[in-house]
Amino acid sequence: MMKKKSLVLAAVMAACATSFAFATPQTQWNQGQWQLDLGAWNSKASVDSSNWAKDKWPGGQEDTDSKWDFQGGLGYGLSDKWALQYNYYGLKTKSDNNKSYKTDGDEHEVNLVYSINKNFAAFAGWNRIKNESEDVSQTNNVAQIGLIAKAPLAKNLDFYAKGAIGTEKTTMWEAGLGYSITPDLDISAGYRYLNTKLADGGDSTFGNKDDANISYKGFIAGLSYR
């Protein structure tokens, strides 16, 4: 009887340990498992306009004020190794008191994620980034590949980092902490950076002499439920 109880207890402990390995962002999951992510991103935008037409831009780096945007996602475990994931990030920022420049875009990404082990997962997919402002309307369709890494710091607390590179001169990275409240609910907080092409060199609309990129960066936080 004691042997049976010990086996049951060991199975329960193993199940709990596996569940807590699911802390956001996921590197492991179960087949048929859904995850819903909801949160906010306090992003600001920066553009290096030093090579652009002087009548449109004064030159140097142009920065906007930050604004809280909605961010969220949905994931589904296709198998114990593969998952499909959709993420949305608002790219809306505010103008400061002295400048009129602000952004009003968004980002949609769909990735196929592969679990390497409990600490690493790789992903590849498509990212649609819309850069929108009073002067610019540029949508980039980006093919991307990336890596998610995670390491435990304390009970239920993980450090995570993820990054990706893609077409249209796009790079992304994010790092932060994830905490498991229950096996099915966790919170995360970190810092996210996105850099992508804004305009091609010689674009007559802006008179820029070289390619120009735009970056979005800021504090990000979220809640995940499975």
Side-chain angles (χ1 to χ4, degrees):
M1 187 70 174
M2 287 296 296
K3 187 176 180 180
K4 287 184 178 180
K5 288 183 177 180
S6 298
L7 290 173
V8 170
L9 180 61
V12 170
M13 290 177 66
C16 290
T18 302
S19 297
F20 281 117
F22 289 150
T24 300
Q26 285 179 281
T27 53
Q28 290 183 311
W29 46 82
N30 292 326
Q31 183 176 6
Q33 182 184 56
W34 289 91
Q35 176 170 306
L36 176 66
D37 303 312
L38 298 172
W41 184 23
N42 189 32
S43 62
K44 63 181 291 185
S46 298
V47 178
D48 182 1
S49 61
S50 58
N51 64 336
W52 288 34
K54 300 302 181 184
D55 61 335
K56 286 185 174 291
W57 300 85
Q61 181 168 295
E62 298 290 319
D63 295 319
T64 70
D65 276 354
S66 60
K67 180 180 180 181
W68 283 103
D69 288 319
F70 171 76
Q71 65 94 5
L74 192 64
Y76 178 73
L78 301 172
S79 71
D80 291 343
K81 283 292 185 181
W82 293 94
L84 189 63
Q85 188 181 68
Y86 165 77
N87 294 314
Y88 170 87
Y89 302 92
L91 300 179
K92 299 175 176 63
T93 61
K94 298 186 298 185
S95 61
D96 63 21
N97 294 328
N98 301 317
K99 302 173 185 176
S100 61
Y101 185 62
K102 62 180 181 179
T103 62
D104 192 30
D106 54 36
E107 176 186 3
H108 302 260
E109 63 173 340
V110 178
N111 294 308
L112 190 61
V113 191
Y114 176 75
S115 174
I116 300 172
N117 54 42
K118 66 179 181 179
N119 298 114
F120 294 97
F123 63 90
W126 168 78
N127 196 345
R128 180 184 180 275
I129 304 170
K130 183 180 181 183
N131 304 302
E132 186 75 37
S133 72
E134 294 178 1
D135 299 307
V136 178
S137 182
Q138 168 78 21
T139 299
N140 296 334
N141 289 295
V142 178
Q144 65 181 15
I145 57 172
L147 185 69
I148 302 168
K150 192 166 58 176
L153 296 179
K155 183 180 179 181
N156 304 341
L157 180 67
D158 293 332
F159 168 80
Y160 76 87
K162 62 179 181 178
I165 57 173
T167 57
E168 304 293 343
K169 298 185 176 181
T170 302
T171 57
M172 180 279 293
W173 64 263
E174 181 183 334
L177 300 174
Y179 181 77
S180 296
I181 300 171
T182 73
D184 296 322
L185 182 68
D186 50 65
I187 56 175
S188 61
Y191 189 88
R192 186 172 191 266
Y193 174 87
L194 171 69
N195 188 277
T196 191
K197 187 173 73 173
L198 180 64
D200 293 312
D203 192 322
S204 60
T205 304
F206 314 108
N208 51 309
K209 295 176 291 186
D210 201 355
D211 291 349
N213 269 37
I214 185 170
S215 63
Y216 304 90
K217 49 191 176 290
F219 177 77
I220 191 168
L223 178 73
S224 299
Y225 176 73
R226 286 169 292 281

